Amino acid sequence: MRTKFKQWAVDYLGEHPEVVLSKIDINDDFFKSKPVCFEIGSGKGDFICAFAKANPQYNFLAVERVETVAGMMAKKIVDQEITNVRVFPFDAKIIFDSLGEGFAHSIYLNFVDPWPKKRHAKRRLTFITFLESYYRLLKKDGLLVFKSDNDGLYEFTVEELEKTKFVMVENLPNYEFNEANDAMTEYERKFRTIGQPIHRIVCKK
């Protein structure tokens, strides 16, 4: 479901440069002070807020190109006084072009748009070209973590990963939530309430 445009959320992005990045600067202390983890397609930020609070030893970059949604996430980060998250309200491809190889500690893809029509396969965030970009961005032994409720996207992702150099660490078609090394998104919480199976894949560079 698409989120309706909210002007206040778009305005919020410009009003809070302390949590919202207008560009990627590798000399920024945020990128140098701690290992950096990325979430591509962060949505309204439930995962990134909970996971960042539980893992203060890392900095987290939340990439969400839909401005209304990114603004809603930024407000949660400010309201919860989370200091180790920054929001990047632009296309993820800018990240790939701006950061060098071996930069990310881990990358998270949580309940991203499945783009179910076959002609839209190249838009899926687990299409081979995206996976190759994640591989370059990750450090050696860095992790790519994928979660989805969508059967088609899950099966497609398994097939695309087989074309890459990633090593499969975990492939769970019916993942039982593990609070010790995970956090829930808004969608995951809803799906688990109705008993919808959640798929989870973890790969290593």
Side-chain angles (χ1 to χ4, degrees):
M1 182 181 295
R2 304 294 181 186
T3 300
K4 291 182 180 179
F5 176 81
K6 299 180 187 296
Q7 187 62 55
W8 73 262
V10 176
D11 293 342
Y12 197 90
L13 294 171
E15 295 164 358
H16 291 273
E18 73 277 15
V19 298
V20 180
L21 299 183
S22 60
K23 62 180 180 179
I24 299 298
D25 181 0
I26 60 174
N27 294 313
D28 189 310
D29 187 58
F30 176 79
F31 291 105
K32 297 170 68 176
S33 59
K34 299 177 183 179
V36 182
C37 304
F38 294 75
E39 185 186 18
I40 311 295
S42 297
K44 296 177 183 177
D46 282 18
F47 170 86
I48 205 77
C49 287
F51 203 61
K53 285 190 288 187
N55 293 275
Q57 70 274 30
Y58 301 115
N59 282 337
F60 292 85
L61 186 65
V63 183
E64 174 53 63
R65 69 178 183 176
V66 180
E67 288 185 305
T68 292
V69 179
M72 296 168 72
M73 171 171 51
K75 187 175 188 304
K76 288 181 182 178
I77 294 166
V78 172
D79 289 349
Q80 296 179 39
E81 299 181 347
I82 303 170
T83 59
N84 60 331
V85 179
R86 297 292 182 273
V87 176
F88 189 67
F90 302 100
D91 196 294
K93 292 180 180 178
I94 297 174
I95 299 289
F96 309 145
D97 294 338
S98 302
L99 299 175
E101 185 172 351
F103 194 89
H105 179 272
S106 55
I107 297 173
Y108 297 87
L109 304 173
N110 293 309
F111 299 88
V112 296
D113 194 331
W115 291 103
K117 294 182 180 179
K118 191 172 183 178
R119 69 176 185 271
H120 292 154
K122 291 184 178 180
R123 299 184 183 184
R124 297 169 190 162
L125 289 179
T126 55
F127 186 68
I128 182 66
T129 53
F130 283 106
L131 293 177
E132 289 173 344
S133 294
Y134 306 148
Y135 191 89
R136 288 193 298 272
L137 187 61
L138 282 166
K139 298 178 182 293
K140 186 179 183 302
D141 295 327
L143 298 179
L144 174 66
V145 183
F146 164 90
K147 281 195 297 183
S148 179
D149 67 300
N150 188 279
D151 296 343
L153 181 61
Y154 164 67
E155 292 164 3
F156 173 84
T157 300
V158 171
E159 293 174 359
E160 292 295 282
L161 282 167
E162 290 175 351
K163 305 174 186 177
T164 72
K165 297 178 182 178
F166 276 109
V167 176
M168 189 82 73
V169 175
E170 179 179 282
N171 182 359
L172 300 175
N174 192 0
Y175 164 62
E176 293 185 12
F177 180 70
N178 182 356
E179 189 174 5
N181 62 0
D182 198 3
M184 285 197 196
T185 71
E186 175 189 9
Y187 287 113
E188 182 172 2
R189 196 172 293 110
K190 179 181 72 174
F191 293 138
R192 288 191 180 280
T193 298
I194 61 174
Q196 174 72 31
I198 304 300
H199 314 303
R200 187 174 193 253
I201 298 172
V202 179
C203 294
K204 182 173 70 172
K205 179 174 179 177

